[in-house]
Amino acid sequence: MQAKIRVQRYDPESSDQPHLQDYDVDVPEHFSVLDALVKVREEIDPSLALRCSCRAAICGSCAMRVNDRARLACNTRLSSVVDDGGEVKVEPMGNQRVVKDLVIDLQLFWGKVRAVEPYLQPDQEPEEEFIASNESMLNLLTPMGCIMCGACVSDCTALEVDQNFLGPAALAKSYRFVADPRDDQGKQRLSTLNEYGGVWDCTRCYMCVEVCPKGVAPMDRIMELRESVMQSGAPSTPGARHVESFTKSVARTGWLDEAMLAVDSWGKFNVPKLLSEAPLGIRALRRRKFPLPAPFHHKRPGHENVRRIFERAEATKE
């Protein structure tokens, strides 16, 4: 098949700005995006910088953005992202510093992972072998499938606006130790994740789930960590109160009481934080989208059915 590969080129040591460079390739139908890029480097432009290793979707080295979405280049067939004779765009992963062309600096990624202390921390050395239950180990299979490729970090919309956020990969890794029965620091881990930059900063955009090549579903692990935080008795934070307010208003009226959401989240007496939300409220008011606060927040028809859903969910947990 024939295709035009538009590769983002950038060398920080030169004065050039990031730009797209086109390469026309004629490759077999079975070629992956990585195969095509290697062909470009070996036969057309040896100055092209890219990172790869196993070529078997195991090491995660070749993660990059293909058509604006993070993927493993070795595991993405060229014909699946471009028609014969068409164009495909290839860029380095997002949210991280570009070293050159398609190679990024993974310092941010590994810094986030190290921050969650990704190792077992028992209170004392076991005197004999710790036999973990089969059920507990099966629960860890999903997060342990992470190959640390960084695709989820690349496309994380929360990290894009706030790099203090731990990010999906680190939080999924944290879940792996919080849920491990051999670790005795779960309460301390959850307390740390309850702070700014932790589990409550995820916007639930679902991008990490979409781009993960191994089905780790980091956002699902983050949601489980949120539940664990609330069940651990950790101090109430705006994130936890946000969830509680959301649940309470929908269960009571059948729809979200947005006006009270900020009040409940920040606290009725946290005047500085509430005032910081005023510009948002004014913009909503100008667009006639400002919701009526309680007690004017009326119940929706059929709210009893919504309430029953919540009751069944609570009964299932018990």
Side-chain angles (χ1 to χ4, degrees):
M1 65 173 293
Q2 294 182 332
K4 177 179 288 186
I5 304 180
R6 311 199 71 195
V7 182
Q8 178 174 304
R9 304 298 305 273
Y10 176 55
D11 186 352
E13 296 183 359
S14 70
S15 58
D16 294 338
Q17 293 300 309
H19 61 282
L20 293 174
Q21 185 167 343
D22 296 345
Y23 298 100
D24 293 315
V25 296
D26 188 352
V27 297
E29 189 75 20
H30 67 270
F31 259 40
S32 67
V33 172
L34 179 60
D35 291 331
L37 289 172
V38 170
K39 180 180 177 69
V40 168
R41 186 180 63 181
E42 293 182 349
E43 300 180 9
I44 303 175
D45 187 351
S47 69
L48 177 63
L50 59 97
R51 179 186 284 134
C52 63
S53 183
C54 75
R55 300 196 185 191
I58 296 174
C59 70
S61 299
C62 65
M64 57 189 70
R65 274 183 171 166
V66 180
N67 286 343
D68 302 314
R69 177 177 173 178
R71 308 169 191 259
L72 294 183
C74 71
N75 200 32
T76 303
R77 184 172 292 187
L78 187 63
S79 60
S80 70
V81 292
V82 61
D83 296 327
D84 190 18
E87 296 181 355
V88 59
K89 183 170 65 172
V90 182
E91 302 168 286
M93 288 201 293
N95 293 327
Q96 291 155 102
R97 185 181 68 86
V98 177
V99 176
K100 185 182 179 184
D101 298 337
L102 302 176
V103 179
I104 57 145
D105 183 354
L106 290 167
Q107 183 175 354
L108 180 142
F109 173 84
W110 289 112
K112 301 291 185 185
V113 173
R114 293 189 187 99
V116 301
E117 300 181 342
Y119 42 85
L120 290 174
Q121 299 181 53
D123 285 339
Q124 58 187 13
E125 290 293 326
E127 296 180 358
E128 56 186 24
E129 183 182 2
F130 188 112
I131 306 298
S133 69
N134 186 56
E135 181 182 2
S136 64
M137 290 297 100
L138 287 174
N139 180 48
L140 296 178
L141 282 180
T142 299
M144 288 172 65
C146 176
I147 60 173
M148 314 303 284
C149 65
C152 59
V153 171
S154 165
D155 287 20
C156 176
T157 55
L159 263 175
E160 190 173 341
V161 297
D162 184 4
Q163 293 214 336
N164 188 71
F165 179 45
L166 281 170
L171 289 173
K173 178 66 71 175
S174 185
Y175 174 83
R176 177 257 179 275
F177 292 98
V178 168
D180 196 312
R182 297 167 295 181
D183 187 272
D184 294 317
Q185 299 303 313
K187 190 171 183 178
Q188 178 57 45
R189 291 181 189 274
L190 292 173
S191 177
T192 301
L193 298 177
N194 192 33
E195 299 172 357
Y196 168 52
V199 293
W200 302 110
D201 285 29
C202 171
T203 61
R204 300 184 68 172
C205 69
Y206 215 74
M207 284 305 300
C208 61
V209 179
E210 287 287 330
V211 302
C212 177
K214 293 298 180 179
V216 174
M219 192 195 76
D220 293 348
R221 309 288 79 78
I222 295 171
M223 295 305 109
E224 292 179 77
L225 284 172
R226 284 184 178 183
E227 182 130 359
S228 297
V229 166
M230 298 181 73
Q231 292 176 352
S232 70
S236 182
T237 57
R241 292 194 294 270
H242 180 97
V243 172
E244 291 169 346
S245 176
F246 195 107
T247 303
K248 181 176 65 176
S249 68
V250 174
R252 184 177 66 86
T253 66
W255 61 312
L256 179 62
D257 187 349
E258 293 174 304
M260 291 302 297
L261 195 60
V263 176
D264 291 340
S265 299
W266 293 116
K268 297 179 181 178
F269 303 106
N270 194 340
V271 178
K273 284 293 185 181
L274 291 175
L275 288 176
S276 70
E277 299 286 349
L280 177 61
I282 293 173
R283 291 197 299 272
L285 185 62
R286 287 176 177 173
R287 291 169 173 77
R288 299 180 182 180
K289 293 184 178 180
F290 193 82
L292 292 174
F296 305 104
H297 189 75
H298 63 273
K299 295 180 179 180
R300 288 283 192 182
H303 68 276
E304 305 90 352
N305 298 325
V306 177
R307 179 62 188 175
R308 281 196 289 269
I309 293 173
F310 277 87
E311 291 173 350
R312 288 178 183 175
E314 289 297 324
T316 302
K317 290 180 182 179
E318 296 174 0

